[in-house]
């Protein structure tokens, strides 16, 4: 069993992991940058090691310094959280070589999922539905165009190593294809150091549905239901909910089963998420697999009662899953909103600065995952997410009203936040009626 965990992250997820470890009797080591000496995670862990200057490249992304901190502190495992090194196959491999338990899948699984074109081939072989189009890679516009004709216009040109929207362009017709291909490819080369592209049919107005998976080292794979993450802006999710009531139950069951099939096809291990696009007519396609714990995991915890971080640690320790699929009951409805330090009136630009006052809501069915307190300085170097507010209630509408009530109570002064903007989304007619797809924000912003 793991005895001491180094948390290679910051903010609310670091705090979340420290809490789970403490409940399990596991010692914790926080790492922090010079900008985070007063951060909550630095104060809550059993030990804290300052690993370098504020920029992520010198601290939270610095593999050498994180490995040394692990060795120095005698930690036997690293939890990477999300972002930073969480999906870096090289980092996971170094942990494996140093006999440090990486709390996540193996480096091979991370690398295999990271190449989206290869992952797509694996899913085709496994019989998991994927977006129409070839999974072959193209390196020239001419080769890309051949694939585009197979996929059928409009098409989406994607970087093999992409994900999260980088190195991605839509081409609506043949005459704009070459330009779109070269733009996407240049972006891919700059972001991932690799310019292999693949081409798919462009799916219009889909929902983004993802399925939470847990898999142990013995081949046991279960799902914990789906999350609807359609409400997003510039590939940043804003609201997540589970279950997705706006899709028929039989369709959701098929998507969940496809996710389990996908995880089994890659012999997946630990917590993971399979992302799908779901068309208005009910056709659904596997898109990619995320090999980390995700920001929105609390809503799955609300409706299943399963502590996902605890399960990650147990799986990494080599314990078999205690839950069978039939033990997982999805009960009620949960919604999460992300509270960010940003200015909705100025293109959502990040707004770091000193927090003056904080009041966070509570009460039955209300959860706050945050690392903020009055007097804390929010540094400009990292992600702008300050807190996650999540609620549970028996039905979607009750959960939505609970979220509306909770959001109405939040006070954060000293910096600008998106709280009022989130309130406007939660009370929007289309959201109330469950009419959300990935174009929801664009549609309502145009008015
Ligand atoms: C797509 C798509 C439509 N058609 N692929 C966005 C991030 C990356 N993971 C893949 N993405 C998309 N791929 C095809 N063939 C639309 C998106 C997409 C999207 C997907 C999920 C959630 C939000 C999105 C916002 C814009 C585009």
């Amino acid at each position: 069993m793991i005895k001491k965990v180094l948390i290679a992250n910051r903010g609310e997820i670091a705090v979340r992991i420290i809490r789970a470890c403490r409940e399990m009797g596991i010692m914790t080591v926080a790492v922090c940058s010079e900008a985070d000496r007063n951060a909550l995670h630095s104060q809550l862990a059993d030990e804290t090691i300052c690993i370098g200057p504020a920029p992520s490249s010198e601290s939270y992304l610095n593999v050498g310094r994180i490995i040394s901190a692990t060795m120095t502190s005698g930690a036997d495992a690293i939890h990477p959280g999300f972002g930073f090194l969480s999906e870096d196959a090289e980092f996971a491999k170094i942990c494996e070589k140093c006999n440090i338990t990486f709390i996540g899948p193996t480096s091979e699984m991370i690398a295999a999922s990271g190449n989206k074109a290869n992952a797509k081939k694996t899913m085709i072989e496994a019989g998991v539905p994927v977006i129409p189009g070839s999974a072959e890679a193209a390196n020239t516009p001419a080769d890309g165009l051949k694939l585009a004709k197979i996929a059928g216009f409009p098409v989406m040109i994607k970087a093999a190593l992409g994900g999260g929207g980088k190195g991605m362009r839509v081409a609506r017709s043949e005459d704009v294809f070459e330009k779109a291909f070269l733009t996407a490819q240049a972006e891919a080369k700059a972001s991932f150091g690799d310019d292999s592209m693949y081409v798919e049919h462009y799916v219009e107005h889909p929902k983004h549905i993802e399925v939470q998976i847990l898999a142990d080292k013995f081949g046991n794979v279960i799902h914990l239901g789906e999350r609807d993450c359609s409400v997003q802006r510039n590939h940043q999710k804003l609201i997540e909910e589970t279950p997705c009531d706006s899709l028929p139950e039989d369709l959701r069951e098929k998507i969940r089963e496809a996710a389990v099939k996908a995880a089994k096809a890659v012999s997946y291990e630990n917590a993971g998420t399979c992302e799908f696009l779901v068309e208005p007519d009910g056709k659904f396609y596997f898109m990619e697999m995320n090999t980390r714990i995700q920001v929105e995991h609390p809503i799955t915890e609300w409706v299943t009662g399963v502590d996902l971080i605890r399960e990650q640690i147990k799986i990494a320790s080599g314990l078999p899953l205690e839950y069978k699929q039939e033990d997982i009951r999805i009960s009620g409805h949960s919604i999460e909103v992300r509270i960010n330090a940003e200015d909705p009136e100025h293109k959502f630009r990040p707004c770091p600065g000193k927090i003056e006052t904080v009041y966070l809501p509570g009460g039955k069915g209300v959860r706050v995952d945050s690392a903020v307190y009055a007097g804390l300085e929010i540094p400009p170097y990292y992600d702008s997410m300050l807190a996650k507010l999540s609620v549970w209630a028996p039905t979607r509408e009750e959960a939505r009203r609970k979220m509306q009530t909770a959001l109405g109570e939040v006070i954060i002064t000293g910096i600008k936040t998106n709280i009022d903007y989130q309130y406007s989304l939660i009370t929007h007619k289309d959201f109330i009626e469950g009419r959300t797809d990935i174009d929801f924000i664009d549609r309502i912003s145009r008015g």
Side-chain angles (χ1 to χ4, degrees), residues 131 156 158 165 168 200-203 208 232 235 288 438:
I131 302 172
M156 185 72 116
K158 293 181 174 178
M168 202 173 86
E200 293 177 335
H201 183 69
Y202 177 62
V203 180
H208 172 129
Q232 54 82 45
H235 304 292
E288 51 196 71
I438 65 168

Side-chain angles (χ1 to χ4, degrees), residues 133-197:
S134 164
E136 292 308 315
N139 292 85
T140 65
D143 286 347
L145 187 57
K146 283 179 204 156
L147 301 180
K149 285 174 180 167
I150 299 167
F153 281 96
V155 296
M156 185 72 116
I157 304 157
K158 293 181 174 178
L161 299 190
K166 261 196 198 143
M168 202 173 86
R169 281 291 179 288
V170 180
R172 296 223 159 249
S173 64
E174 206 175 314
D175 40 302
V176 295
F177 182 82
E178 178 166 340
K179 188 167 176 260
F181 185 94
L182 291 171
T183 313
Q185 193 179 34
E187 210 173 288
K189 182 84 188 160
S191 305
F192 316 113
D194 180 281
D195 64 359
S196 301
M197 311 300 289

Side-chain angles (χ1 to χ4, degrees), residues 267-284:
S267 307
Y268 195 74
E269 140 187 353
N270 215 282
T273 301
C274 294
E275 293 188 354
F276 295 87
L277 290 182
V278 184
E279 289 191 298
D281 69 358
K283 285 202 202 77
F284 68 91

